[in-house]
Amino acid sequence: ILVARALLEIIAGLREEGKCIIFSTHIMREVERLCDRVGILYRGRMLATGTLPDLAQQYDESDFEEMFFRMLQDSDRQLEEQAVHQYEANQPH
């Protein structure tokens, strides 16, 4: 825990110096604390990019973790619908 916290402080310090940092994590609290801009990548697809306030407005969700899970659920639903349409299109009539 101490090493993780020290690393996050180093990253925050570099960000304050204006350095560009690509930070990959599944811990939403770290994203909210450290990131100016985010990109949500899921199953090889970029679902969303932007600042946290912009994404909160776009998805009408102030809780980033809830927004994240909703994006994943919406993506899964879209992929399932596409698979069904593709299956139906390939069936003999």
Side-chain angles (χ1 to χ4, degrees):
I1 293 173
L2 296 175
V3 172
R5 185 171 182 102
L7 180 60
L8 293 176
E9 289 174 357
I10 290 169
I11 292 169
L14 291 170
R15 184 191 76 193
E16 293 301 318
E17 292 176 16
K19 306 286 185 192
C20 176
I21 301 165
I22 297 175
F23 186 70
S24 175
T25 185
H26 62 279
I27 302 170
M28 298 302 119
R29 184 166 185 252
E30 291 176 357
V31 172
E32 293 172 318
R33 180 175 169 203
L34 293 172
C35 299
D36 297 319
R37 295 184 52 81
V38 298
I40 307 298
L41 183 65
Y42 180 59
R43 296 185 181 200
R45 295 174 59 206
M46 184 65 71
L47 300 183
T49 60
T51 65
L52 291 175
D54 288 346
L55 292 175
Q57 183 178 15
Q58 181 180 349
Y59 289 91
D60 195 28
E61 178 64 65
S62 60
D63 184 286
F64 183 63
E65 189 169 297
E66 290 300 318
M67 179 190 335
F68 175 81
F69 284 112
R70 196 170 99 211
M71 285 181 197
L72 271 52
Q73 290 171 339
D74 290 348
S75 177
D76 284 341
R77 190 173 15 262
Q78 289 174 354
L79 288 174
E80 288 173 14
E81 289 172 1
Q82 288 173 355
V84 167
H85 290 305
Q86 186 175 23
Y87 174 79
E88 290 172 349
N90 291 328
Q91 293 302 305
H93 296 291

Coordinates of all heavy atoms in Angstrom, one line a residue:
I1 N 0.8 -1.2 0.0 CA 0.0 0.0 0.0 C 0.9 1.3 0.0 O 0.6 2.2 -0.7 CB -1.0 0.0 1.2 CG1 -2.0 -1.1 1.1 CG2 -1.7 1.3 1.4 CD1 -2.9 -1.3 2.2
L2 N 1.9 1.2 0.8 CA 2.8 2.4 0.8 C 3.5 2.7 -0.5 O 3.6 3.8 -1.0 CB 3.9 2.2 1.9 CG 3.3 2.2 3.4 CD1 4.4 1.9 4.3 CD2 2.6 3.5 3.7
V3 N 3.9 1.6 -1.2 CA 4.6 1.8 -2.5 C 3.6 2.3 -3.5 O 3.9 3.2 -4.3 CB 5.2 0.4 -2.9 CG1 5.8 0.5 -4.4 CG2 6.4 0.0 -2.0
A4 N 2.4 1.7 -3.5 CA 1.3 2.2 -4.4 C 1.0 3.6 -4.2 O 0.9 4.4 -5.2 CB 0.1 1.3 -4.3
R5 N 0.9 4.0 -3.0 CA 0.6 5.5 -2.7 C 1.8 6.4 -3.2 O 1.6 7.4 -3.8 CB 0.4 5.7 -1.2 CG -0.1 7.1 -0.9 CD -0.5 7.2 0.5 NE -1.0 8.6 0.7 CZ -2.2 9.0 0.8 NH1 -3.2 8.1 0.6 NH2 -2.5 10.2 1.0
A6 N 3.0 5.9 -2.9 CA 4.2 6.7 -3.4 C 4.2 6.8 -4.9 O 4.5 7.9 -5.5 CB 5.5 6.1 -2.9
L7 N 3.9 5.7 -5.6 CA 3.8 5.8 -7.1 C 2.8 6.7 -7.5 O 3.0 7.5 -8.5 CB 3.6 4.4 -7.6 CG 3.5 4.3 -9.1 CD1 4.8 4.7 -9.8 CD2 3.1 2.9 -9.5
L8 N 1.6 6.7 -6.9 CA 0.5 7.6 -7.3 C 0.9 9.1 -7.1 O 0.6 10.0 -7.9 CB -0.8 7.3 -6.6 CG -1.4 6.0 -6.9 CD1 -2.6 5.7 -6.1 CD2 -1.8 5.9 -8.4
E9 N 1.7 9.3 -6.0 CA 2.1 10.7 -5.7 C 3.2 11.1 -6.8 O 3.2 12.3 -7.2 CB 2.7 10.8 -4.3 CG 1.7 10.7 -3.3 CD 2.2 10.6 -1.9 OE1 3.5 10.6 -1.7 OE2 1.4 10.6 -0.9
I10 N 4.0 10.2 -7.2 CA 5.0 10.5 -8.3 C 4.3 10.9 -9.6 O 4.6 11.8 -10.2 CB 6.0 9.3 -8.5 CG1 6.9 9.2 -7.3 CG2 6.8 9.5 -9.8 CD1 7.7 8.0 -7.2
I11 N 3.3 10.0 -9.9 CA 2.5 10.3 -11.1 C 1.8 11.7 -11.0 O 1.8 12.4 -12.0 CB 1.5 9.2 -11.4 CG1 2.3 7.9 -11.7 CG2 0.5 9.5 -12.5 CD1 1.4 6.6 -11.7
A12 N 1.2 11.9 -9.9 CA 0.5 13.2 -9.7 C 1.5 14.4 -9.9 O 1.2 15.4 -10.5 CB -0.2 13.3 -8.4
G13 N 2.7 14.2 -9.3 CA 3.7 15.3 -9.4 C 4.2 15.5 -10.9 O 4.3 16.6 -11.3
L14 N 4.3 14.4 -11.6 CA 4.7 14.5 -13.0 C 3.6 15.2 -13.8 O 3.9 16.0 -14.7 CB 5.0 13.1 -13.6 CG 6.3 12.5 -13.1 CD1 6.3 11.0 -13.6 CD2 7.5 13.2 -13.5
R15 N 2.4 14.9 -13.5 CA 1.2 15.5 -14.2 C 1.2 17.0 -13.9 O 1.0 17.8 -14.8 CB -0.1 14.9 -13.7 CG -1.3 15.5 -14.5 CD -2.6 15.1 -13.8 NE -2.8 16.0 -12.7 CZ -3.7 15.8 -11.7 NH1 -4.5 14.7 -11.8 NH2 -3.8 16.6 -10.7
E16 N 1.5 17.4 -12.7 CA 1.6 18.8 -12.3 C 2.7 19.5 -13.0 O 2.6 20.7 -13.3 CB 1.7 19.0 -10.8 CG 0.5 18.5 -10.0 CD -0.8 19.2 -10.4 OE1 -0.7 20.5 -10.5 OE2 -1.8 18.6 -10.5
E17 N 3.7 18.8 -13.4 CA 4.8 19.4 -14.2 C 4.5 19.5 -15.7 O 5.3 20.0 -16.5 CB 6.1 18.6 -14.0 CG 6.7 18.6 -12.6 CD 7.9 17.6 -12.5 OE1 8.4 17.2 -13.5 OE2 8.3 17.4 -11.4
G18 N 3.3 19.0 -16.0 CA 2.9 19.1 -17.4 C 3.3 17.9 -18.3 O 3.2 18.0 -19.5
K19 N 3.8 16.9 -17.6 CA 4.2 15.7 -18.4 C 2.9 14.9 -18.8 O 1.9 14.9 -18.2 CB 5.0 14.7 -17.5 CG 6.2 15.4 -16.9 CD 7.3 15.6 -17.8 CE 8.5 16.2 -17.1 NZ 9.5 16.7 -17.9
C20 N 3.0 14.3 -20.0 CA 1.9 13.5 -20.5 C 2.2 12.1 -20.0 O 3.3 11.5 -20.2 CB 1.9 13.5 -22.0 SG 0.7 12.4 -22.7
I21 N 1.2 11.5 -19.3 CA 1.3 10.2 -18.8 C 0.2 9.3 -19.3 O -1.0 9.7 -19.2 CB 1.3 10.2 -17.2 CG1 2.4 11.1 -16.7 CG2 1.4 8.8 -16.6 CD1 2.3 11.6 -15.3
I22 N 0.5 8.2 -19.8 CA -0.5 7.2 -20.2 C -0.6 6.2 -19.0 O 0.3 5.5 -18.7 CB -0.2 6.5 -21.5 CG1 -0.1 7.5 -22.6 CG2 -1.2 5.4 -21.8 CD1 0.3 6.9 -23.9
F23 N -1.8 6.2 -18.4 CA -2.0 5.5 -17.1 C -3.1 4.5 -17.4 O -4.2 4.9 -17.7 CB -2.4 6.5 -16.0 CG -2.5 5.9 -14.7 CD1 -1.3 5.5 -14.0 CD2 -3.7 5.9 -14.0 CE1 -1.4 5.0 -12.7 CE2 -3.8 5.4 -12.8 CZ -2.7 4.9 -12.1
S24 N -2.8 3.2 -17.2 CA -3.8 2.2 -17.4 C -4.1 1.6 -16.0 O -3.2 1.1 -15.3 CB -3.3 1.1 -18.3 OG -4.2 0.1 -18.5
T25 N -5.4 1.5 -15.7 CA -5.8 1.0 -14.4 C -7.3 0.6 -14.5 O -8.0 1.0 -15.3 CB -5.6 2.0 -13.3 OG1 -5.9 1.4 -12.0 CG2 -6.5 3.2 -13.5
H26 N -7.6 -0.3 -13.6 CA -9.0 -0.7 -13.4 C -9.6 -0.1 -12.1 O -10.7 -0.4 -11.7 CB -9.1 -2.2 -13.4 CG -8.4 -2.9 -12.3 ND1 -7.1 -3.1 -12.3 CD2 -8.8 -3.3 -11.1 CE1 -6.7 -3.7 -11.2 NE2 -7.7 -3.9 -10.4
I27 N -8.8 0.7 -11.4 CA -9.2 1.3 -10.2 C -9.7 2.7 -10.5 O -9.0 3.7 -10.7 CB -8.0 1.4 -9.2 CG1 -7.5 -0.1 -9.0 CG2 -8.5 2.0 -7.9 CD1 -6.2 -0.2 -8.2
M28 N -11.0 2.8 -10.4 CA -11.7 4.1 -10.8 C -11.3 5.3 -9.9 O -11.2 6.4 -10.4 CB -13.2 3.9 -10.8 CG -13.7 2.9 -11.8 SD -13.3 3.2 -13.5 CE -12.3 1.8 -13.9
R29 N -11.0 5.0 -8.7 CA -10.6 6.1 -7.8 C -9.3 6.8 -8.3 O -9.1 8.0 -8.2 CB -10.5 5.6 -6.4 CG -10.1 6.7 -5.4 CD -10.3 6.3 -4.0 NE -10.1 7.4 -3.1 CZ -9.1 7.5 -2.3 NH1 -8.1 6.6 -2.3 NH2 -9.0 8.6 -1.5
E30 N -8.4 5.9 -8.8 CA -7.1 6.5 -9.3 C -7.4 7.3 -10.5 O -6.8 8.4 -10.7 CB -6.2 5.3 -9.6 CG -5.7 4.6 -8.4 CD -4.8 3.4 -8.8 OE1 -4.6 3.1 -10.0 OE2 -4.3 2.8 -7.8
V31 N -8.3 6.9 -11.4 CA -8.7 7.6 -12.6 C -9.2 9.0 -12.2 O -8.8 10.0 -12.7 CB -9.7 6.9 -13.4 CG1 -10.2 7.7 -14.6 CG2 -9.1 5.6 -13.9
E32 N -10.1 9.0 -11.2 CA -10.7 10.3 -10.8 C -9.7 11.2 -10.2 O -9.8 12.4 -10.3 CB -11.9 10.0 -9.8 CG -13.0 9.3 -10.5 CD -14.1 8.9 -9.5 OE1 -13.7 8.3 -8.4 OE2 -15.3 9.0 -9.8
R33 N -8.7 10.6 -9.5 CA -7.7 11.4 -8.8 C -6.6 12.0 -9.7 O -6.1 13.1 -9.5 CB -7.1 10.6 -7.7 CG -6.1 11.3 -6.9 CD -5.7 10.4 -5.7 NE -4.5 10.9 -5.1 CZ -3.6 10.3 -4.4 NH1 -3.8 9.0 -4.2 NH2 -2.6 10.8 -3.8
L34 N -6.3 11.2 -10.7 CA -5.1 11.5 -11.5 C -5.3 11.9 -12.9 O -4.4 12.6 -13.5 CB -4.1 10.2 -11.5 CG -3.5 9.8 -10.2 CD1 -2.8 8.5 -10.4 CD2 -2.6 10.9 -9.7
C35 N -6.4 11.6 -13.5 CA -6.5 11.8 -15.0 C -7.2 13.0 -15.4 O -8.3 13.3 -14.8 CB -7.2 10.5 -15.6 SG -6.2 9.0 -15.3
D36 N -6.6 13.7 -16.3 CA -7.3 14.9 -16.9 C -8.2 14.5 -18.0 O -9.3 15.1 -18.2 CB -6.2 15.9 -17.4 CG -5.3 16.4 -16.4 OD1 -5.8 16.7 -15.3 OD2 -4.1 16.6 -16.6
R37 N -7.8 13.5 -18.8 CA -8.6 12.9 -19.9 C -8.5 11.4 -19.7 O -7.5 10.9 -19.3 CB -8.0 13.3 -21.2 CG -8.1 14.8 -21.5 CD -7.6 15.2 -22.9 NE -8.3 14.4 -23.9 CZ -9.5 14.7 -24.4 NH1 -10.2 15.7 -23.9 NH2 -10.0 14.0 -25.4
V38 N -9.6 10.8 -20.1 CA -9.7 9.3 -20.1 C -10.2 8.8 -21.4 O -10.8 9.4 -22.2 CB -10.6 8.8 -18.9 CG1 -10.1 9.3 -17.6 CG2 -12.0 9.3 -19.2
G39 N -9.8 7.5 -21.6 CA -10.3 6.8 -22.7 C -10.7 5.4 -22.2 O -9.9 4.8 -21.5
I40 N -11.9 5.0 -22.5 CA -12.4 3.7 -22.1 C -12.3 2.7 -23.2 O -12.9 2.9 -24.2 CB -13.9 3.8 -21.7 CG1 -14.1 5.0 -20.6 CG2 -14.4 2.5 -21.1 CD1 -13.4 4.8 -19.3
L41 N -11.4 1.8 -23.0 CA -11.1 0.7 -24.0 C -11.7 -0.6 -23.5 O -11.4 -1.0 -22.4 CB -9.6 0.6 -24.2 CG -9.1 -0.3 -25.2 CD1 -9.5 0.1 -26.6 CD2 -7.6 -0.4 -25.2
Y42 N -12.5 -1.2 -24.3 CA -13.2 -2.5 -23.9 C -13.3 -3.4 -25.1 O -13.8 -3.0 -26.1 CB -14.6 -2.1 -23.3 CG -15.4 -3.3 -22.8 CD1 -14.9 -4.1 -21.8 CD2 -16.6 -3.6 -23.4 CE1 -15.6 -5.2 -21.4 CE2 -17.3 -4.7 -22.9 CZ -16.8 -5.5 -21.9 OH -17.6 -6.5 -21.5
R43 N -12.7 -4.6 -24.9 CA -12.8 -5.6 -26.0 C -12.2 -5.1 -27.3 O -12.8 -5.3 -28.4 CB -14.2 -6.2 -26.1 CG -14.6 -6.9 -24.9 CD -16.0 -7.6 -25.1 NE -16.4 -8.2 -23.9 CZ -17.3 -9.2 -23.9 NH1 -17.9 -9.6 -25.0 NH2 -17.6 -9.7 -22.7
G44 N -11.2 -4.3 -27.2 CA -10.5 -3.8 -28.4 C -11.2 -2.6 -29.0 O -10.8 -2.2 -30.1
R45 N -12.2 -2.1 -28.4 CA -13.0 -0.9 -29.0 C -12.9 0.3 -28.0 O -13.0 0.1 -26.8 CB -14.5 -1.3 -29.1 CG -14.7 -2.4 -30.2 CD -16.2 -2.8 -30.2 NE -17.0 -1.7 -30.5 CZ -18.3 -1.6 -30.1 NH1 -18.9 -2.6 -29.5 NH2 -19.0 -0.5 -30.5
M46 N -12.6 1.5 -28.6 CA -12.6 2.7 -27.8 C -14.1 3.1 -27.6 O -14.7 3.5 -28.6 CB -11.8 3.8 -28.4 CG -11.7 5.0 -27.6 SD -10.7 4.8 -26.1 CE -9.1 4.6 -26.7
L47 N -14.6 3.0 -26.4 CA -16.0 3.3 -26.1 C -16.2 4.8 -25.9 O -17.2 5.4 -26.3 CB -16.5 2.6 -24.9 CG -16.4 1.1 -24.9 CD1 -17.0 0.5 -23.6 CD2 -17.1 0.5 -26.1
A48 N -15.2 5.5 -25.3 CA -15.4 6.9 -25.0 C -14.1 7.6 -24.7 O -13.2 6.9 -24.2 CB -16.4 7.1 -23.9
T49 N -13.9 8.8 -25.0 CA -12.8 9.6 -24.6 C -13.2 11.0 -24.2 O -14.3 11.5 -24.6 CB -11.8 9.8 -25.8 OG1 -12.4 10.4 -26.8 CG2 -11.2 8.4 -26.2
G50 N -12.5 11.6 -23.3 CA -12.8 13.0 -22.9 C -12.4 13.2 -21.4 O -11.8 12.4 -20.8
T51 N -12.7 14.4 -21.0 CA -12.5 14.7 -19.6 C -13.6 14.1 -18.7 O -14.7 13.8 -19.3 CB -12.5 16.2 -19.3 OG1 -13.8 16.7 -19.6 CG2 -11.5 17.0 -20.2
L52 N -13.3 13.9 -17.5 CA -14.4 13.3 -16.6 C -15.6 14.2 -16.6 O -16.7 13.6 -16.7 CB -13.8 13.1 -15.2 CG -12.8 11.9 -15.1 CD1 -12.2 11.8 -13.7 CD2 -13.4 10.6 -15.5
P53 N -15.5 15.5 -16.5 CA -16.8 16.3 -16.5 C -17.5 16.2 -17.8 O -18.8 16.1 -17.8 CB -16.3 17.7 -16.3 CG -15.0 17.6 -15.5 CD -14.4 16.3 -16.1
D54 N -16.8 16.1 -18.9 CA -17.4 16.0 -20.2 C -18.2 14.7 -20.3 O -19.3 14.6 -20.8 CB -16.4 16.1 -21.4 CG -15.9 17.6 -21.6 OD1 -16.6 18.5 -21.0 OD2 -14.9 17.7 -22.3
L55 N -17.5 13.6 -19.9 CA -18.1 12.3 -19.9 C -19.3 12.2 -19.0 O -20.4 11.6 -19.3 CB -17.1 11.2 -19.6 CG -16.0 11.0 -20.7 CD1 -15.0 10.0 -20.2 CD2 -16.6 10.6 -22.0
A56 N -19.2 12.8 -17.8 CA -20.3 12.8 -16.9 C -21.5 13.5 -17.5 O -22.7 13.0 -17.3 CB -19.9 13.5 -15.6
Q57 N -21.3 14.6 -18.2 CA -22.4 15.3 -18.9 C -23.0 14.5 -20.0 O -24.2 14.4 -20.2 CB -21.9 16.7 -19.3 CG -23.0 17.5 -20.0 CD -22.5 18.9 -20.4 OE1 -21.3 19.1 -20.5 NE2 -23.5 19.8 -20.7
Q58 N -22.1 13.9 -20.8 CA -22.5 13.2 -22.0 C -23.3 11.9 -21.6 O -24.3 11.6 -22.3 CB -21.3 12.7 -22.8 CG -21.6 11.9 -24.1 CD -20.3 11.5 -24.8 OE1 -19.2 12.0 -24.5 NE2 -20.5 10.7 -25.8
Y59 N -22.9 11.3 -20.6 CA -23.6 10.1 -20.1 C -24.6 10.3 -19.0 O -25.2 9.4 -18.5 CB -22.6 9.0 -19.8 CG -21.9 8.5 -21.0 CD1 -20.7 9.0 -21.4 CD2 -22.5 7.4 -21.8 CE1 -20.1 8.6 -22.6 CE2 -21.8 7.0 -22.9 CZ -20.6 7.6 -23.3 OH -20.0 7.1 -24.4
D60 N -24.8 11.6 -18.6 CA -25.7 11.9 -17.5 C -25.5 11.1 -16.3 O -26.4 10.5 -15.7 CB -27.2 11.8 -18.0 CG -28.1 12.5 -17.1 OD1 -27.7 13.5 -16.4 OD2 -29.3 12.1 -17.0
E61 N -24.2 11.0 -15.9 CA -23.9 10.1 -14.7 C -22.7 10.8 -14.0 O -21.6 10.9 -14.6 CB -23.5 8.7 -15.2 CG -23.1 7.8 -14.1 CD -24.2 7.5 -13.1 OE1 -25.2 6.9 -13.5 OE2 -24.0 7.9 -11.9
S62 N -22.8 11.1 -12.8 CA -21.8 11.8 -12.0 C -20.8 10.8 -11.4 O -19.7 11.1 -11.1 CB -22.3 12.7 -11.0 OG -23.1 12.0 -10.0
D63 N -21.2 9.6 -11.2 CA -20.4 8.5 -10.6 C -19.6 7.8 -11.7 O -20.2 7.1 -12.5 CB -21.2 7.6 -9.8 CG -20.4 6.5 -9.1 OD1 -19.9 5.6 -9.7 OD2 -20.3 6.6 -7.8
F64 N -18.3 8.0 -11.7 CA -17.5 7.5 -12.8 C -17.6 6.0 -12.9 O -17.6 5.4 -14.0 CB -16.1 8.0 -12.7 CG -15.2 7.5 -13.8 CD1 -15.5 7.9 -15.1 CD2 -14.1 6.7 -13.6 CE1 -14.7 7.5 -16.2 CE2 -13.4 6.2 -14.7 CZ -13.6 6.7 -16.0
E65 N -17.5 5.3 -11.8 CA -17.6 3.8 -11.8 C -18.9 3.3 -12.4 O -18.9 2.4 -13.2 CB -17.4 3.3 -10.4 CG -17.2 1.8 -10.4 CD -16.8 1.3 -9.0 OE1 -15.7 1.6 -8.6 OE2 -17.6 0.5 -8.4
E66 N -20.0 4.0 -12.0 CA -21.3 3.6 -12.6 C -21.3 3.9 -14.1 O -21.9 3.1 -14.9 CB -22.5 4.4 -11.9 CG -22.7 3.9 -10.5 CD -23.1 2.4 -10.4 OE1 -23.9 1.9 -11.2 OE2 -22.5 1.7 -9.5
M67 N -20.8 5.0 -14.5 CA -20.7 5.4 -15.9 C -19.9 4.3 -16.7 O -20.3 3.9 -17.8 CB -20.0 6.7 -16.1 CG -19.9 7.2 -17.5 SD -18.9 8.7 -17.8 CE -18.9 9.5 -16.2
F68 N -18.8 3.9 -16.1 CA -17.9 2.9 -16.7 C -18.7 1.6 -16.9 O -18.7 1.0 -18.0 CB -16.7 2.7 -15.8 CG -15.8 1.6 -16.2 CD1 -14.9 1.8 -17.2 CD2 -15.9 0.3 -15.7 CE1 -14.0 0.8 -17.6 CE2 -15.0 -0.7 -16.1 CZ -14.1 -0.5 -17.1
F69 N -19.4 1.1 -15.9 CA -20.1 -0.2 -16.1 C -21.3 0.0 -17.0 O -21.6 -1.0 -17.8 CB -20.6 -0.7 -14.7 CG -19.5 -1.3 -13.9 CD1 -19.0 -0.7 -12.8 CD2 -18.8 -2.5 -14.3 CE1 -18.0 -1.2 -12.0 CE2 -17.8 -3.0 -13.6 CZ -17.4 -2.4 -12.5
R70 N -21.9 1.1 -17.1 CA -23.0 1.3 -18.0 C -22.4 1.3 -19.5 O -23.1 0.7 -20.4 CB -23.7 2.6 -17.8 CG -25.0 2.7 -18.5 CD -25.9 3.8 -18.0 NE -25.7 4.9 -19.0 CZ -25.8 6.2 -18.8 NH1 -26.0 6.6 -17.6 NH2 -25.6 7.0 -19.8
M71 N -21.3 1.9 -19.7 CA -20.7 1.9 -21.0 C -20.4 0.4 -21.4 O -20.6 0.0 -22.6 CB -19.3 2.6 -21.0 CG -19.5 4.1 -21.0 SD -17.8 4.8 -21.0 CE -18.2 6.5 -20.5
L72 N -19.8 -0.4 -20.5 CA -19.5 -1.8 -20.8 C -20.8 -2.6 -21.1 O -20.9 -3.3 -22.1 CB -18.8 -2.4 -19.7 CG -17.3 -2.3 -19.7 CD1 -16.8 -0.9 -19.9 CD2 -16.6 -3.0 -18.5
Q73 N -21.9 -2.4 -20.3 CA -23.1 -3.0 -20.6 C -23.7 -2.6 -21.9 O -24.2 -3.5 -22.7 CB -24.1 -2.7 -19.4 CG -23.7 -3.4 -18.1 CD -24.6 -2.9 -17.0 OE1 -25.2 -1.8 -17.0 NE2 -24.6 -3.7 -15.9
D74 N -23.7 -1.3 -22.2 CA -24.2 -0.9 -23.5 C -23.4 -1.5 -24.6 O -24.0 -1.9 -25.7 CB -24.2 0.7 -23.6 CG -25.2 1.3 -22.6 OD1 -26.1 0.6 -22.1 OD2 -25.1 2.6 -22.4
S75 N -22.1 -1.5 -24.5 CA -21.3 -2.1 -25.6 C -21.6 -3.6 -25.8 O -21.8 -4.0 -26.9 CB -19.8 -1.9 -25.2 OG -19.0 -2.6 -26.2
D76 N -21.8 -4.3 -24.7 CA -22.1 -5.7 -24.8 C -23.5 -5.9 -25.4 O -23.6 -6.8 -26.3 CB -22.1 -6.4 -23.4 CG -20.7 -6.7 -22.9 OD1 -19.8 -6.7 -23.7 OD2 -20.6 -6.9 -21.6
R77 N -24.4 -5.1 -25.1 CA -25.7 -5.2 -25.7 C -25.7 -4.9 -27.2 O -26.3 -5.6 -28.0 CB -26.7 -4.2 -25.0 CG -28.1 -4.4 -25.3 CD -29.1 -3.5 -24.5 NE -28.5 -2.4 -23.7 CZ -28.3 -2.5 -22.4 NH1 -28.5 -3.6 -21.7 NH2 -27.8 -1.5 -21.8
Q78 N -24.9 -3.9 -27.6 CA -24.8 -3.6 -29.0 C -24.1 -4.7 -29.8 O -24.5 -5.1 -30.9 CB -23.9 -2.3 -29.2 CG -24.6 -1.0 -28.8 CD -23.7 0.2 -28.8 OE1 -22.5 0.1 -29.1 NE2 -24.3 1.4 -28.6
L79 N -23.1 -5.3 -29.2 CA -22.4 -6.4 -29.8 C -23.4 -7.6 -30.0 O -23.4 -8.3 -31.0 CB -21.2 -6.9 -29.1 CG -20.0 -5.9 -29.1 CD1 -18.9 -6.3 -28.2 CD2 -19.5 -5.8 -30.6
E80 N -24.2 -7.9 -29.0 CA -25.2 -9.0 -29.0 C -26.2 -8.7 -30.1 O -26.5 -9.6 -30.9 CB -25.9 -9.1 -27.7 CG -25.0 -9.8 -26.6 CD -25.6 -9.8 -25.3 OE1 -26.9 -9.5 -25.2 OE2 -24.9 -10.0 -24.3
E81 N -26.7 -7.5 -30.2 CA -27.6 -7.1 -31.2 C -27.0 -7.3 -32.6 O -27.7 -7.8 -33.5 CB -28.1 -5.7 -31.0 CG -29.0 -5.5 -29.8 CD -29.4 -4.1 -29.5 OE1 -28.9 -3.2 -30.2 OE2 -30.1 -3.9 -28.5
Q82 N -25.8 -6.8 -32.8 CA -25.1 -7.0 -34.1 C -25.0 -8.5 -34.5 O -25.2 -8.8 -35.6 CB -23.7 -6.3 -34.1 CG -23.8 -4.8 -34.0 CD -22.4 -4.2 -33.8 OE1 -21.4 -4.9 -33.6 NE2 -22.4 -2.9 -33.9
A83 N -24.6 -9.3 -33.5 CA -24.5 -10.7 -33.8 C -25.8 -11.3 -34.2 O -25.9 -12.2 -35.1 CB -23.9 -11.4 -32.5
V84 N -26.9 -10.9 -33.5 CA -28.2 -11.5 -33.8 C -28.6 -11.0 -35.3 O -29.1 -11.8 -36.1 CB -29.3 -11.0 -32.8 CG1 -30.7 -11.2 -33.3 CG2 -29.1 -11.7 -31.5
H85 N -28.4 -9.7 -35.6 CA -28.7 -9.3 -36.9 C -27.9 -10.0 -38.0 O -28.4 -10.3 -39.0 CB -28.5 -7.7 -37.0 CG -29.5 -6.9 -36.2 ND1 -30.9 -7.1 -36.4 CD2 -29.3 -6.0 -35.3 CE1 -31.5 -6.3 -35.6 NE2 -30.6 -5.6 -34.9
Q86 N -26.6 -10.2 -37.7 CA -25.8 -10.9 -38.6 C -26.2 -12.3 -38.8 O -26.3 -12.8 -39.9 CB -24.3 -10.8 -38.2 CG -23.3 -11.4 -39.2 CD -21.9 -11.2 -38.7 OE1 -21.6 -11.1 -37.5 NE2 -21.0 -11.2 -39.7
Y87 N -26.6 -13.0 -37.7 CA -27.1 -14.4 -37.8 C -28.3 -14.4 -38.6 O -28.5 -15.3 -39.5 CB -27.3 -14.9 -36.4 CG -27.9 -16.3 -36.4 CD1 -27.2 -17.4 -36.6 CD2 -29.3 -16.4 -36.2 CE1 -27.8 -18.7 -36.6 CE2 -29.9 -17.6 -36.1 CZ -29.1 -18.8 -36.4 OH -29.7 -20.0 -36.4
E88 N -29.3 -13.5 -38.3 CA -30.6 -13.5 -39.1 C -30.4 -13.2 -40.5 O -31.0 -13.8 -41.4 CB -31.5 -12.5 -38.4 CG -32.0 -12.9 -37.1 CD -32.8 -11.8 -36.4 OE1 -32.8 -10.7 -36.8 OE2 -33.4 -12.1 -35.3
A89 N -29.4 -12.3 -40.9 CA -29.2 -12.0 -42.3 C -28.6 -13.2 -43.0 O -28.8 -13.3 -44.3 CB -28.2 -10.8 -42.3
N90 N -27.9 -14.1 -42.3 CA -27.3 -15.2 -43.0 C -28.2 -16.4 -43.0 O -27.7 -17.5 -43.6 CB -25.9 -15.5 -42.3 CG -24.9 -14.5 -42.5 OD1 -24.9 -13.8 -43.6 ND2 -24.1 -14.2 -41.6
Q91 N -29.3 -16.4 -42.5 CA -30.2 -17.5 -42.5 C -31.0 -17.6 -43.8 O -31.4 -16.6 -44.3 CB -31.3 -17.4 -41.3 CG -30.6 -17.6 -40.0 CD -29.8 -18.9 -39.8 OE1 -30.4 -19.9 -40.0 NE2 -28.6 -18.8 -39.5
P92 N -31.2 -18.8 -44.3 CA -32.0 -18.9 -45.6 C -33.5 -18.6 -45.3 O -34.0 -18.8 -44.2 CB -31.9 -20.4 -45.9 CG -31.3 -21.1 -44.7 CD -30.7 -20.1 -43.9
H93 N -34.1 -17.9 -46.2 CA -35.5 -17.5 -46.1 C -36.4 -18.4 -46.8 O -36.5 -18.9 -47.8 CB -35.7 -16.1 -46.5 CG -34.9 -15.1 -45.7 ND1 -35.2 -14.8 -44.4 CD2 -33.8 -14.4 -46.0 CE1 -34.3 -13.9 -44.0 NE2 -33.4 -13.6 -44.9

